[in-house]
Amino acid sequence: MPAYRAVLFDFFGTLTRAVRRGPAHAGIAQLLGCDPATLVEVLDRSYHARARGRYGSAEETLRWVATEAGAHPSDRTLRAAAAARREAIWADTTLRTAAVPTLRALRRRGLRTALVSDCTHELPDVLPRLPLHTLLDARVLSVEMGICKPDPGMFLAAAALVGARPEQCLYIGDGGSRELTGAEAVGMTAVRLRAPDLAGHLTFNPDTAWSGSDITDLADTIGLVDRVLEPA
């Protein structure tokens, strides 16, 4: 096997701690004029369509969501709700303690790093606020690509951006969106992060049949690189 040249990471639940919708989301429902439980139901069933950007911009998407939930907010209300949703996603996002040190350690070893994430319009706005933003050589976001994991295009685009062949890439993820089997299908080495906090993680289309390698701490990524293969 060739040496690793890059390590690719999922975002939610991998570089971050488990994600749960915080109290701010109920306020967004109130702002839009719809029932909070109905809003959550619409958000859940439309996740991958929204993550592909199917309904347009952030505000256009929120208008679609509100209509599905039985509300008809004004343009001004939509703008306010879209801003509130960005802040709610920000509030729900807590980096793992090991995220920044792990990325720094990989870069010291000469490896390239990339983010491969299914996400809605809010993540591209949130990322620049995070200290790991400058430690990523590339990002492949579903809402910008128009596809979601496990589509091979997500993984192949990331490999191309970091200048590596798929078999030279290590992929780390919690298993949402069947990302592990998706990464393996294009020739990458995939490893699941099975951290204790992920028991309550908000996830969609998980890799329930995954039987490959696991780690329990994001920092164990360094051990995989050092022990299994010498970096190029």
Side-chain angles (χ1 to χ4, degrees):
M1 293 178 65
Y4 292 138
R5 293 182 60 85
V7 183
L8 282 48
F9 293 92
D10 170 50
F11 185 69
F12 296 108
T14 302
L15 291 176
T16 79
R17 292 187 58 78
V19 173
R20 300 169 182 83
R21 289 193 181 101
H25 293 275
I28 296 169
Q30 183 178 15
L31 185 59
L32 291 171
C34 57
D35 174 66
T38 303
L39 180 65
V40 167
E41 185 275 327
V42 174
L43 290 173
D44 285 352
R45 67 176 163 84
S46 67
Y47 175 71
H48 283 106
R50 292 184 295 109
R52 293 193 301 270
R54 176 178 174 182
Y55 304 113
S57 68
E59 290 176 15
E60 290 166 342
T61 299
L62 203 52
R63 185 188 299 279
W64 180 89
V65 168
T67 300
E68 288 289 300
H72 301 281
S74 67
D75 290 347
R76 181 177 180 179
T77 296
L78 276 174
R79 288 192 294 270
R85 182 166 164 78
R86 284 193 297 272
E87 292 309 307
I89 299 296
W90 169 250
D92 294 343
T93 301
T94 302
L95 290 181
R96 293 192 180 279
T97 303
V100 168
T102 297
L103 289 170
R104 285 178 175 158
L106 292 172
R107 290 166 69 89
R108 285 197 300 270
R109 286 162 170 77
L111 279 82
R112 306 274 282 173
T113 59
L115 181 66
V116 184
S117 179
D118 282 353
C119 64
T120 51
H121 289 284
E122 294 76 24
L123 184 56
D125 291 328
V126 167
L127 274 176
R129 305 191 200 182
L130 298 171
L132 56 68
H133 179 62
T134 57
L135 299 174
L136 295 166
D137 296 300
R139 71 180 199 186
V140 176
L141 306 181
S142 65
V143 75
E144 297 175 343
M145 292 284 290
I147 54 176
C148 287
K149 295 180 285 189
D151 191 300
M154 292 285 284
F155 306 101
L156 295 176
L161 286 170
V162 295
R165 298 191 302 274
E167 63 269 23
Q168 296 173 316
C169 297
L170 172 63
Y171 184 87
I172 307 292
D174 65 275
S177 297
R178 291 187 290 130
E179 62 189 351
L180 304 171
T181 51
E184 277 203 334
V186 301
M188 296 180 178
T189 299
V191 174
R192 176 173 57 181
L193 176 64
R194 191 194 281 272
D197 64 291
L198 291 173
H201 179 50
L202 178 64
T203 190
F204 300 94
N205 197 20
D207 255 321
T208 53
W210 177 251
S211 59
S213 299
D214 291 349
I215 55 175
T216 57
D217 191 305
L218 189 63
D220 294 339
T221 304
I222 303 303
L224 294 176
V225 169
D226 288 346
R227 181 176 67 253
V228 180
L229 296 170
E230 290 294 327

